[in-house]
Amino acid sequence: MERAGGHGSETVFRMQASPAQRAALDKITAELAAAAGPALPGTLTVRAYACGKQACRCHADPPALHGPYAEWTRKINGKTVTRRLTPAELADWQPLFDNAKKMRTLLAELQELTLAIIDPGPASKPR
């Protein structure tokens, strides 16, 4: 790897990628570009709950839980916020959650590939 001009945050690294690594980089960046668009941050979970009423059906044996409910959890100003989604919101926003997940997966792949290019040694090598 060689450095090209500039200092500090303007330093650019020219990575010596193999042809296979270059092809993988090109594929991932093209997929990221195609996925670029509206995306919702956070986590979407769908789960069922037991309530606090001891005589409720959700405490029977076997329990008949309430739900399932879709919940969107994310951080806002450092605090975890959970919002229960209506079925209509879930239907409308599912593609946005799917897109965000796809971009996170592609970014993780890109980062792993970049690490392999700049440090091709064994993964167990101490740093």
Side-chain angles (χ1 to χ4, degrees), residues 27 30 42 78 85 88 95 101 111 114 119:
K27 179 181 179 286
L85 302 180
K101 184 176 181 178
Q111 291 170 335
T114 302
D119 188 9

Side-chain angles (χ1 to χ4, degrees), residues 19-64:
Q21 289 171 325
R22 175 53 50 199
L25 282 171
D26 291 345
K27 179 181 179 286
I28 293 170
T29 54
E31 289 178 19
L32 268 169
L40 286 172
T43 304
L44 175 66
T45 56
V46 178
R47 38 195 235 183
Y49 290 96
C51 70
K53 299 176 186 174
Q54 290 303 315
C56 183
R57 64 183 169 86
C58 65
H59 292 282
D61 188 21

